[in-house]
Amino acid sequence: MKAEIIAVGTELLLGQTVNTNATFLSEELASLGFEVYYHSVVGDNEARLLNLLALADTRSELIVLCGGLGPTQDDITKEVLAKHLNQPLEANEMALKKIVHHLTRLGRPITENNRKQSQNIKGGIPIQNPNGLALGTLYTIKNRSYLVLPGPPVELEPMFLKEVTPLLKKILPQEWVLDSRVLRFYGIGEAQLVTEIEELITHQMNPTIAAYAKSNEVTLRVTAKANTHEKAKELLDQAEKDIQKIVGKYFYGYGDNHSLEAETVGLLKKYHQTVTSAESLTAGLFQETLAKVPGVSQCFPGGFVTYSKEAKAQLLDISLDQLNQVGVVSKECACLMAEQSRLKLGTDYSISFTGVAGPEELEGKSAGTVWIGVSSKKSGTTAYLYQFNRDREYIRHSALMAGLNLLRQQILMEH
Amino acid sequence: MKAEIIAVGTELLLGQTVNTNATFLSEELASLGFEVYYHSVVGDNEARLLNLLALADTRSELIVLCGGLGPTQDDITKEVLAKHLNQPLEANEMALKKIVHHLTRLGRPITENNRKQSQNIKGGIPIQNPNGLALGTLYTIKNRSYLVLPGPPVELEPMFLKEVTPLLKKILPQEWVLDSRVLRFYGIGEAQLVTEIEELITHQMNPTIAAYAKSNEVTLRVTAKANTHEKAKELLDQAEKDIQKIVGKYFYGYGDNHSLEAETVGLLKKYHQTVTSAESLTAGLFQETLAKVPGVSQCFPGGFVTYSKEAKAQLLDISLDQLNQVGVVSKECACLMAEQSRLKLGTDYSISFTGVAGPEELEGKSAGTVWIGVSSKKSGTTAYLYQFNRDREYIRHSALMAGLNLLRQQILMEH
C-alpha cells in the first residue's frame, strides 16, 4: 500500500527543526508493510498545502500529515485537510474537556484557538493525545486514508505506536511481515562490495539487499517479506549465506547499533584478554574509542599517548638514539611502541600507531603514511604499513579502524 | 527567489537516515536570501524523480538535489537530471583523476560505477568534492538553476559552504548583501541564552539573531542585510556589542568552523605553553581532541591514559595505598593525576579527568560525578567537581569540554 508523509511547518523550511518525524514514521510504516514513496515539507500556507494534498491524492493511498495542530493562527493543517475533504470540523468532547481542565488549572482563559485543537474532522476517527492537547484524526474515504498527527515527537510517537498502529493494521489489505538483518563489513569499499555481490542485488527482489557506506565501513541491510517471521528468517538466512560466500572475509558483525569497537571489546571480554596502546598520530583516539564500550575496564587498564619523539622515548623506555636512527614513521618504531607498552602494563595485547596525520609531511613521508604495530604475549610483535588519504581527521579515523580490526583478527587467530 | 530541496534516497523513505541535509541547506539558503517553499524526499526511482523534477520546474527557480551520487546502480540522481534537462553526461578530468588515484592507492579495481561518480552534466559548472569522490554540478538554464550535491553531510556541507555559496550569490538578483557572524558560547544552555537575550532576538529584524544548540555549546548566528559589506559590518558590530554586554562571559570565539579545542590550542601556541593530561573516564578523548588541531605538536608532547587504579599508580608514580585511601573519584586523585603527569612530562599545564562515566556507579558515586584537575607550573594544582548527566557518551563529552574550558581560562588568567 503506497504511503507518503507531509510535514507542515515553516520552521522546517527555515532549517530550524530537523524532520525526525518523517524518519520515525517511515520506519514504522515500513515495518507495518506500507511502501513510503514520498516525504514532503510545506510551510503553514493554505494554498501550497492544498496543492500538495491534490498531488498526494494522485499517488498515495495513505497520506500522513504531521505538524500544524498547535493553538496559534499559523496552525492550519486540520482546517486545510477538512477543506480538501469538504467536511466540517466538529468538537471532540473528550479532547475539549482535557483542554478546559488543563487551562483552568493554569488559570488561563480558554480561547477560540485552544478549542480548535480539540476539533475532529467529521467522519474521522479521533486519536487522543496523552502528551499534549492537539487531537489527531484518521479519516478514510474509499481506498484512501488521511492521518493527522501533531508535530512534537514526544506527542506524535506515542500516539502512533499506541493508537494509530492498530487502526492502520485494519486498513492493510493483507497481513505480512517485513524483517531486516544488518550485516557489517570492514576493509572493503561500498563500490567494491556492491560490484562483488551485484548479481545478488540485481536478481533478488525478496529479500532486497541495500548497501550503506559509513566512515571506513559498509553495512548491508537485507529485508525479507513473508507471511510469518519464521518464513522471513528462512529467506534472510539463505540470502546471508549467499552474501557471506562472496564477501564473508570482510564481515565482522550484525546490527544497526553494533560497531567494530564493540565487537573487538566483546572478543577481549569473551576470552578474558587485556589490551593497551601507545598512540602517536591518533593521540588517544584508539583508547577513547575502546572506552566508549561500557564495561571496558575488565580488559583495558590504560595506556600511552606518545605524540613527540621524546615522549615515545621517555614514557616507553625506548632509546632516543635508536628512534633517531630508525625514524618515528617506521616499522621499528611501531614495533617498539607496541612491545614496550604491552610489557609496561603487562597486558595480553598492545596496538601502536605512528605515522603522518598531516597536513604537513614528516621525515619525508607524506600525510597518510601510518605504521600500526601489534604486540601479542603469545605471538610476538609485528607492524603493518598503511597509506590512508583525505584530511587529517579521516587519516586518524582510518588508522583507528585498521587498529581495531588488527586487534580483532589477532584475538580470533589465537583463540 | 523561490527554492526547493529534493533529497534522493530510499534509505530516507525507510527511516534509516534522517534528512539533516534538508535542514542544513534550508538554513544556508535562507541566510543567502532564498525562500525555500518545499522539501521532498523520493526514492532511487527514475520515474518518480522525473515527475518530481517536472513539478519542481513549475514552482521553483532553484532546485537543489542531494543524494544518489554514489557508485552503485541505485545511484541515479545525476543521470535522471541529465535526462530531464536533455543533456549528456561527460567525464570531468579532475574528478576522474582523483578516483583513479584513490582506488589505485588502495589497490582496488576501477569499475564503471566508479567512473560514473566523476561525470558532469554537459554545460553545468562542476563542483569538486574535497571529502569524497562524487562530483557535484550547478546547471543553469534561463531563470532556473539545478544544484546537485552528494548525500553524505561530511561531503555536502563543505562543498556547499566553500564552492556553492559564491556561485549562488551570483544567481541572486538582489542588490544587497547578507553577511553573517557566528559567536560561540560555552557554559550556558540554549534556552538560558535565548531567555537572556530575548529582547534582542524579538525586537531586532536586522540583523537577525538565531541560536543553535550543539553538544555542550551554543552558537549565535547574527545576519545583517545591507547595501554594502561595510554597512553590514557596522550592523553586525552593534548587534554583537549588545549581545556581549549580556552574555559575554560565556563567549569564547568566532566562526562556524571554530571549536573550543582550536581556541585552546591557539592560546597555547600564542603564549608558547605546553600541556599534557592524565585521563581516566575520558580515556584519551581530551588528548585526541587536542590532536585534531593541526600543528598541536608544538604544545603537546603526549600524556597518559590511566583507566584502572593500578595504571594511575604505576604510570604516574602515585602510591596505591594513597589511592585506596582517598578513592579514585576524589579531588585528591584528580590533583595527584594532574600534578604528577605535568611533572613527568615537564609541561606548563596538565589537565586530569577522573570520575564515573557510567552506566554503573563507582565507589558509591553516581554516573556523571567527575573531578577535573588543573595543574599549572605558575599557579599550582587544584581540581573542580562536576555533576554531568545523560548517558556515558554525553558524560565523557561534557568532561572533555569542561577540561578544555578550564585550560583556556587558566592560560588567559596567567597571560
Side-chain angles (χ1 to χ4, degrees), chain A residues 212 221 291 314 344 389, chain B residues 16 102 105 305 314 344 392:
Chain A
Y212 304 97
R221 177 181 290 261
Q314 187 195 335
K344 281 205 158 268
N389 58 6
Chain B
Q16 292 161 358
H102 172 78
R105 242 164 60 155
V305 179
Q314 186 193 335
K344 280 205 160 270
R392 185 175 174 88

Side-chain angles (χ1 to χ4, degrees), chain A residues 28-87:
Chain A
E28 293 301 324
L29 289 170
S31 81
L32 288 170
F34 287 93
E35 289 155 307
V36 178
Y37 280 164
Y38 299 95
H39 296 172
S40 305
V41 177
V42 64
D44 306 293
N45 176 287
E46 177 171 330
R48 286 194 283 275
L49 182 51
L50 282 172
N51 277 342
L52 208 52
L53 284 167
L55 174 67
D57 279 355
T58 68
R59 60 189 192 186
S60 301
E61 292 150 291
L62 173 67
I63 298 160
V64 184
L65 292 146
C66 56
L69 303 192
T72 76
Q73 282 200 327
D74 282 356
D75 295 302
I76 56 169
T77 302
K78 227 185 275 172
E79 288 86 334
V80 173
L81 178 60
K83 189 169 181 178
H84 175 73
L85 296 169
N86 205 17
Q87 289 291 339

Side-chain angles (χ1 to χ4, degrees), chain B residues 92-107:
Chain B
N92 178 273
E93 279 310 315
M94 201 166 148
L96 183 59
K97 221 180 244 174
K98 189 174 165 185
I99 290 173
V100 171
H101 180 70
H102 172 78
L103 292 170
T104 307
R105 242 164 60 155
L106 292 177

Side-chain angles (χ1 to χ4, degrees), chain A residues 187-217:
Chain A
I188 182 168
E190 186 192 9
Q192 196 195 336
L193 184 136
V194 167
T195 304
E196 298 209 4
I197 60 167
E198 196 158 21
E199 282 285 299
L200 293 178
I201 292 183
T202 313
H203 294 301
Q204 241 181 230
M205 298 312 291
N206 186 29
T208 57
I209 304 170
Y212 304 97
K214 319 231 158 179
S215 194
N216 273 299
E217 56 174 324

Side-chain angles (χ1 to χ4, degrees), chain A residues 242-359:
Chain A
D242 297 342
I243 293 166
Q244 297 279 18
K245 207 187 290 172
I246 306 170
V247 288
K249 63 177 164 171
Y250 304 106
F251 172 79
Y252 75 81
Y254 295 98
D256 255 333
N257 295 313
H258 201 49
S259 64
L260 200 49
E261 61 266 21
E263 181 67 23
T264 306
V265 170
L267 289 174
L268 286 168
K269 284 186 187 174
K270 180 176 174 186
Y271 298 115
H272 305 285
Q273 300 291 293
T274 55
V275 67
T276 185
S277 178
E279 302 186 59
S280 185
L281 80 156
T282 47
L285 178 60
F286 177 78
Q287 296 170 76
E288 89 89 4
T289 302
L290 291 178
K292 282 182 177 165
V293 185
V296 73
S297 56
Q298 290 173 41
C299 42
F300 171 64
F304 305 86
V305 179
T306 52
Y307 208 69
S308 71
K309 193 192 293 177
E310 290 70 25
K312 290 177 182 70
Q314 187 195 335
L315 300 187
L316 299 171
D317 281 336
I318 303 174
S319 129
L320 197 54
D321 283 349
Q322 194 179 356
L323 284 181
N324 281 328
Q325 210 178 317
V326 296
V328 293
V329 189
S330 68
K331 181 170 190 169
E332 291 85 347
C333 181
C335 286
L336 283 166
M337 286 169 68
E339 183 146 301
Q340 287 296 97
S341 55
R342 184 176 64 75
L343 293 174
K344 281 205 158 268
L345 281 174
T347 55
D348 300 299
Y349 299 101
S350 178
I351 305 293
S352 70
F353 300 84
T354 184
V356 194

